[in-house]
Amino acid sequence: MNDHDNIREHVLKLMKQKENIENEIRELSSLLSKNGVGMNDPLVDEEGFPVNSIDIYQVRHARHRIICLQNDHKNIMAQIENGLHDYYSIFSDNDVHESPMNTSSCHTDVIHVVPFARVTLVSEESPSKDAGIQANDEIVEFGSVNSTNFKDITDIALVVQHSEGNQISVKLKRGDHFRTVVLVPKKWSGKGLLGCNIVAL
């Protein structure tokens, strides 16, 4: 097995770990929802007594586990990005077309062409507006997320959550053309870190 294959196998294993982490986070988040709380809601009433409708032990365990998993997810995402960079850095321009890796390259060649989400709204003076994203743009890649590993909008939310203040490469399909923009999730005068609304296709 050559270096290309070794790196490819490593990245694919990381992607599988990422998928497992995201699945567990969804399950734990569902458990919190069943208890009627989120990550920061109080577990006691105004007088300091435990709320009867909440399984406090279960909720505290789930919250702690989610925090640990979110840290793991952030580390995995960084490893995947580094692995992909290493993978494509050893390809020549011609080799990229024959690459077996199902993700984007560091070159301008479009490898993924199937959109998985659409931007329905972009707010003025938002990070998305600054990046050049427009309403009706279709998303082909959002960081490491693409049509081959996208499950739901949670995937994008996790990338955004762990990339605040950092650059995310976003590949868009606008009409018949593709373009890649650099998006930096950050706090701004509006809600959220992006300032746009994204829906799954």
Side-chain angles (χ1 to χ4, degrees):
M1 186 177 288
N2 58 34
D3 289 343
H4 296 170
D5 292 334
N6 285 331
I7 296 175
R8 179 177 183 272
E9 287 301 314
H10 177 61
V11 171
L12 290 177
K13 286 180 181 178
L14 290 174
M15 287 181 172
K16 181 61 178 177
Q17 292 177 39
K18 167 183 169 290
E19 181 179 332
N20 291 338
I21 290 172
E22 290 169 353
N23 287 337
E24 188 174 350
I25 289 176
R26 289 192 191 96
E27 291 174 1
L28 292 168
S29 296
S30 176
L31 187 152
L32 292 181
S33 296
K34 289 177 181 177
N35 278 276
V37 297
M39 288 294 290
N40 300 308
D41 296 302
L43 304 182
V44 295
D45 59 24
E46 294 179 354
E47 297 177 352
F49 292 101
V51 179
N52 292 331
S53 61
I54 299 175
D55 185 330
I56 294 181
Y57 174 79
Q58 191 181 55
V59 167
R60 283 178 175 169
H61 175 76
R63 286 177 171 177
H64 176 73
R65 181 64 181 153
I66 287 174
I67 291 171
C68 293
L69 288 169
Q70 287 175 336
N71 289 332
D72 291 344
H73 187 273
K74 185 175 183 179
N75 292 332
I76 286 284
M77 291 292 290
Q79 291 180 57
I80 289 174
E81 295 295 342
N82 290 335
L84 293 177
H85 181 270
D86 292 341
Y87 182 81
Y88 286 106
S89 68
I90 50 183
F91 275 107
S92 67
D93 289 343
N94 292 331
D95 289 334
V96 169
H97 295 287
E98 300 173 359
S99 165
M101 181 71 75
N102 291 324
T103 185
S104 65
S105 73
C106 296
H107 299 264
T108 57
D109 305 273
V110 176
I111 292 180
H112 278 119
V113 295
V114 179
F116 60 86
R118 178 184 289 112
V119 179
T120 59
L121 174 71
V122 178
S123 300
E124 292 296 325
E125 300 181 1
S126 66
S128 294
K129 184 75 171 181
D130 292 342
I133 296 174
Q134 299 179 8
N136 296 319
D137 280 348
E138 294 183 331
I139 298 175
V140 178
E141 294 175 0
F142 195 97
S144 61
V145 180
N146 55 65
S147 61
T148 65
N149 57 24
F150 174 76
K151 288 186 174 59
D152 56 45
I153 294 299
T154 307
D155 296 335
I156 291 179
L158 285 169
V159 173
V160 172
Q161 181 180 352
H162 297 136
S163 303
E164 183 176 352
N166 297 316
Q167 295 182 348
I168 300 175
S169 176
V170 181
K171 185 173 290 184
L172 305 169
K173 182 181 181 184
R174 184 175 298 166
D176 296 325
H177 301 284
F178 294 89
R179 62 176 299 179
T180 299
V181 301
V182 176
L183 174 63
V184 181
K186 59 185 177 182
K187 292 181 175 64
W188 59 294
S189 58
K191 294 181 179 180
L193 299 175
L194 297 183
C196 71
N197 188 54
I198 299 174
V199 297
L201 293 177

